Amino acid sequence: MKRISLALALTAAATTALTACGDHSTTATPSTPDTIEITGPADVGTPAYKVVPASDTSCAHVHHQEVVDETIASLPRINDWAWQSSGDTSGFEPCNSLSFATTTTDMPTNTSPVAIMLFHHDDFIGTASECSPPIAEVTTSGFDTVIVTYRYPEQGDSSVGMSGRATVTFRWENDALVKSGDIPDRLAQLAGCEL
């Protein structure tokens, strides 16, 4: 089924309706737009679509911070360090097939572990790695891909000037998480776990 957003049409209709009322003390409250589901061929006189109210879209009502904070509380400690209780939800999008959130340890340093929590919609499916090495960047691509760039010290680097980089891609395909990318031996050795 295809879904077509009616955000512009509904916004225009709401604006027109409010303007026509003449009551300028009322303000419109933005809301999630309804969608149209195209259902296919129909009999003459029967529309081949139905309007699905925004309230039926469960992902639009997820409390991002609450989901992430509950997930952090379930994570095991790393080397006896506790995780910060409130994570960064900027990469968490419950309407996506795959998204992420991050947290680090209390009193972090440049080499502190970073837990990358992966979510299928609003369901936590695991962390990007068991040992959570430092990261340079985590991004999303489309609605189904998370790209993690780890950082690590090359020979002779200080912990502040880590120049090593390794990228791992996570993609949600056919109802499963698929991981790809090459991990240099040095990063695997320093991390102390399988990445």
Side-chain angles (χ1 to χ4, degrees):
M1 267 188 245
K2 295 180 181 176
R3 289 181 177 252
I4 303 172
S5 175
L6 290 178
L8 294 176
L10 291 174
T11 302
T15 303
T16 302
L18 287 174
T19 304
C21 290
D23 180 2
H24 297 292
S25 63
T26 305
T27 57
T29 304
S31 63
T32 305
D34 291 345
T35 58
I36 290 181
E37 284 189 5
I38 306 299
T39 58
D43 295 330
V44 174
T46 305
Y49 62 87
K50 64 179 180 177
V51 175
V52 180
S55 60
D56 291 350
T57 310
S58 61
C59 65
H61 302 288
V62 172
H63 298 284
H64 295 67
Q65 196 67 55
E66 184 178 315
V67 170
V68 170
D69 292 351
E70 286 175 5
T71 302
I72 292 169
S74 73
L75 295 178
R77 289 174 169 242
I78 287 233
N79 298 329
D80 245 3
W81 287 90
W83 296 108
Q84 290 180 354
S85 60
S86 188
D88 179 356
T89 64
S90 60
F92 178 53
E93 179 46 68
C95 293
N96 287 0
S97 295
L98 188 64
S99 65
F100 71 94
T102 61
T103 190
T104 189
T105 56
D106 285 328
M107 301 183 342
T109 66
N110 194 46
T111 58
S112 293
V114 177
I116 302 165
M117 299 161 279
L118 300 173
F119 295 88
H120 174 58
H121 299 295
D122 63 342
D123 294 324
F124 173 59
I125 55 175
T127 55
S129 71
E130 292 177 14
C131 52
S132 304
I135 59 170
E137 180 179 52
V138 187
T139 59
T140 57
S141 177
F143 298 102
D144 62 356
T145 304
V146 172
I147 302 163
V148 178
T149 303
Y150 294 106
R151 60 189 175 84
Y152 61 96
E154 292 283 14
Q155 197 68 37
D157 285 351
S158 68
S159 63
V160 175
M162 291 191 269
S163 62
R165 298 290 184 270
T167 300
V168 177
T169 300
F170 297 88
R171 184 182 305 275
W172 190 261
E173 289 181 12
N174 301 319
D175 290 327
L177 185 65
V178 177
K179 181 170 87 169
S180 61
D182 295 321
I183 299 296
D185 291 340
R186 180 161 176 79
L187 174 56
Q189 178 188 17
L190 292 169
C193 75
E194 185 177 331
L195 299 173

